[in-house]
């Protein structure tokens, strides 16, 4: 239920606001709930950290990020 609390909108303004609310609700309902969104994958810290892990080798002690 939508209620106008303040002001006196014209029927056209009220229809435009209702169209925006319904469009956003339809978009939210269309998204699959179980699949990760692209934003979740983009901001995932493991995506960045995986490329910066030290690799074992003869000089790996110099590339470590852990304090001694």
């Amino acid at each position: 239920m939508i209620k106008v609390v303040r002001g006196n909108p014209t029927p056209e303004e009220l229809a435009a606001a209702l169209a925006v609310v319904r469009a956003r609700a339809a978009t939210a309902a269309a998204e699959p709930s179980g699949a990760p969104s692209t934003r979740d994958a983009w901001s995932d810290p493991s995506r960045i950290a995986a490329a910066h892990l030290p690799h074992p080798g003869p000089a790996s002690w110099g590339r470590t990020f852990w304090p001694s």
Side-chain angles (χ1 to χ4, degrees):
M1 180 174 171
I2 297 177
K3 180 179 177 182
V4 177
V5 180
R6 204 166 148 187
N8 190 13
T10 64
E12 293 84 14
E13 292 171 335
L14 195 54
L18 185 58
V20 170
V21 170
R22 291 182 76 187
R24 288 192 53 115
T27 302
E31 282 186 12
S33 61
S37 69
T38 54
R39 182 175 180 189
D40 292 339
W42 177 255
S43 63
D44 184 16
S46 67
R47 180 184 61 88
I48 298 168
H52 299 293
L53 293 176
H55 300 288
S60 63
W61 63 270
R63 293 189 310 258
T64 185
F65 293 99
W66 301 104
S68 56

